[in-house]
Every structure is written in structure tokens, then in C-alpha cells.
Amino acid sequence: MMSNLQTFIETNLPHIELQLESIINDITAPHELKEAMLYSLKAGGKRIRPLYTLAVLQELGVENVEAIKVASTIEMIHTYSLIHDDLPSMDNDDLRRGKPTNHKVFGEALAILAGDALVTLAFGIIARLKDLEPSQKVRLIDELSMASGAEGMVGGQVLDMLGEGKRLSLEELEEVHLNKTGALLSYSILAGGIIANANEDIMKALHQYSIHIGLAFQIQDDILDVEGTSEQLGKTAGKDILSEKNTYPSILTLAGAKEQLQKQYNLAIEALHPVTLNKGLLVELADYITKRSK
């Protein structure tokens, strides 16, 4: 018998994939650029972020036909960040999701432009939504600009770069990942609440949940870099150790990182207790994040 989460993923994942492909196919742009954009969008991935947006809506009992577009824009921005992360001037990776990275296939210049095109297109899609109030669209765009820009993901990447060659404290490492990984994941959860017009108590609970699950996501990533294989991960395993990056296992030991993972999971679940909403999918997604093998 399938779990609620399995059923939810199998129902929604094909719609996300179709929406992503449709968005790119429908724009007027050079074929080579669209090909580079689609290459990374279609390379696979867990689609955790768009699934979270749709899960929050389902748990709140709200249907919105355009929610799938909002969910897809988050995956587009996540994909742009991966394309740029993999560049020689950044992490210099050859493998992503088990395939050659974008710049290895299309060259650095087109890879950079494909990332630029994905992030700018995402904001335009939200601005043109017809089934949301103007105030909701403005809030989505505002929150997304913070989550993906200097106050979020980009700022976190800079903190990560500045931390290279230094020994960060646990607090400093958390600041890096609350921004670099956590901010966009947090937005994906809050976006569901914004689309649903959730009340302030629910939004606060979702925000607290999202902070802790974002950290849990990164801790598990760090653990998998130690325990996983390149085949499992779809990217180079053990690279964090070789490059002497600041990670939760390097600061806390592997056992300490696993304890921290459990702590963040517990705090995420506790954050949902004060509010009345169906929590099943959010709990199952938290379980999935903390127990995944890739």
C-alpha cells in the first residue's frame, strides 16, 4: 500500500515536469538557449521545492489552478543556481544529477545565460498570473526576490565562498545554510500559504517549520557526501572532504551531524503543533528529507 506522500508525489510530479517543459517551449527565444535551459530542467531531481508548495496547499484544503506555475518557478530558480554553482569559477563540477553539467555540454557563456534566463523568466511568470490577487502576486515576488537574492541564496553562496580556508563555528555554518539552501526551500513552503491566503498563525508555523527543515535538508546533504556514492548522489561524492569545506560532519563529527539532523527534524515537527491544519504530508516530507539516500 502506498503512503500518502507516495500517492501525492506520483500524482503531482508529472504535472510539474510538464509545466516546466511547457514554460520553456512557449517562450520566444533562441533555440540554443531554450535547449540549454531545458537540459538542466529535465536532468531530474527530487522536485522537493515545488512539491512543498503544492503540499501546503493540499494540507490547507485549497485548490488554485495556477499554483503549479508558482511551484515551477521555484524549480527554475533552483536550477539556475545549480547551473551557476557548477561553473569553473564557483564549484567547478563536471557532474550534476548523474549527467555532465550544463557548461560541460553548452560551454560557460551559454550556461551562464541559461541560468540568467531561468531566473528572470520566473519573476515574469508570477507577475502574469491571472488567478491570484495583485497583493498576493506582489508578496510572492517580494518574498522570492529576498529568498533568491542578496538576502538569501546569493548572499549565502557568498558567505560560503568567504568561509573557504577558515574554520567556521556551528552558528556561522548555520547562517551560510539558512541563506544558501534554506531560504529558497523556506519560500517554497511559504508560497503555498500565500496562495492559500493562510492566516498569520499558520504562516508563522510554516515559517518556523521551514527554517528547521531547511537546515535538516543541508545536514543530510553533508552526511550523504560522506556516506553516499557518486552513483547514488548523481554528483561527485566526497568532494566536500577533499576540498576541506565547512560541513556539519567536519565541525560536529558524523555522529554529531546525525544528532543535529534529528534535532532540526524534531523542531520542524514541533513548529506545526500550535496550528490546526492537516499535517500528514508535511510530516512525511520531513521524514523523506531526513532519511533520503540521494
Side-chain angles (χ1 to χ4, degrees):
M1 183 177 174
M2 288 195 297
S3 69
N4 287 337
L5 181 60
Q6 284 177 300
T7 303
F8 172 78
I9 291 174
E10 289 185 11
T11 300
N12 287 283
L13 201 54
H15 297 302
I16 293 168
E17 303 295 349
L18 282 172
Q19 184 66 61
L20 287 167
E21 193 164 352
S22 174
I23 286 170
I24 306 305
N25 285 333
D26 288 347
I27 64 172
T28 303
H31 170 74
E32 292 81 2
L33 176 59
K34 291 167 71 168
E35 190 180 3
M37 294 164 77
L38 280 171
Y39 175 81
S40 289
L41 279 175
K42 293 173 68 176
K46 297 173 284 294
R47 309 303 195 204
I48 286 290
R49 292 158 189 83
L51 286 169
Y52 251 126
T53 302
L54 300 178
V56 169
L57 280 161
Q58 182 163 314
E59 300 300 81
L60 291 170
V62 173
E63 289 186 21
N64 185 291
V65 294
E66 293 191 314
I68 187 75
K69 291 184 180 177
V70 177
S72 297
T73 62
I74 304 167
E75 190 66 21
M76 290 164 65
I77 288 184
H78 174 56
T79 301
Y80 121 78
S81 75
L82 300 182
I83 294 172
H84 284 193
D85 253 6
D86 291 335
L87 291 167
S89 58
M90 301 283 277
D91 288 350
N92 195 23
D93 272 316
D94 297 341
L95 199 65
R96 171 69 68 176
R97 293 170 173 168
K99 299 174 70 173
T101 47
N102 198 291
H103 68 273
K104 284 291 178 182
V105 177
F106 298 96
E108 283 185 57
L110 194 53
I112 291 168
L113 292 169
D116 293 345
L118 285 168
V119 71
T120 49
L121 179 59
F123 286 96
I125 289 166
I126 298 173
R128 291 188 291 271
L129 295 174
K130 293 180 173 62
D131 264 25
L132 291 178
E133 294 296 320
S135 60
Q136 290 174 291
K137 292 193 285 185
V138 168
R139 188 173 180 187
L140 285 168
I141 290 169
D142 181 38
E143 295 280 355
L144 184 55
S145 72
M146 289 191 289
S148 60
E151 297 170 277
M153 184 173 65
V154 173
Q157 180 67 36
V158 172
L159 289 174
D160 194 26
M161 289 164 53
L162 294 174
E164 290 176 6
K166 300 177 184 176
R167 181 74 171 177
L168 298 183
S169 67
L170 178 60
E171 292 74 20
E172 289 170 328
L173 184 63
E174 284 188 350
E175 184 184 5
V176 170
H177 293 307
L178 280 170
N179 289 283
K180 183 181 176 182
T181 307
L184 194 61
L185 185 61
S186 180
Y187 171 80
S188 69
I189 294 164
L190 295 178
I194 293 169
I195 296 167
N197 268 322
N199 66 47
E200 217 42 52
D201 286 343
I202 288 176
M203 291 300 291
K204 285 179 183 175
L206 290 174
H207 180 59
Q208 286 301 309
Y209 169 88
S210 73
I211 288 171
H212 297 297
I213 212 61
L215 286 173
F217 188 94
Q218 184 60 50
I219 296 167
Q220 182 65 356
D221 254 12
D222 288 356
I223 291 169
L224 288 172
D225 187 74
V226 176
E227 295 188 330
T229 65
S230 296
E231 290 73 26
Q232 280 178 309
L233 303 179
K235 59 183 180 180
T236 309
K239 192 171 182 188
D240 290 346
I241 298 170
L242 291 173
S243 58
E244 298 182 340
K245 284 192 73 172
N246 285 286
T247 66
Y248 285 88
S250 72
I251 290 175
L252 299 174
T253 73
L254 185 58
K258 290 181 177 181
E259 286 179 17
Q260 187 68 15
L261 176 66
Q262 187 62 45
K263 175 186 174 183
Q264 295 301 332
Y265 169 85
N266 292 341
L267 288 169
I269 303 306
E270 286 170 17
L272 298 173
H273 289 165
V275 294
T276 303
L277 75 160
N278 295 324
K279 305 180 181 82
L281 279 177
L282 298 183
V283 172
E284 284 195 71
L285 276 165
D287 286 336
Y288 173 70
I289 280 171
T290 53
K291 294 171 184 173
R292 63 197 162 88
S293 59
K294 59 181 181 179

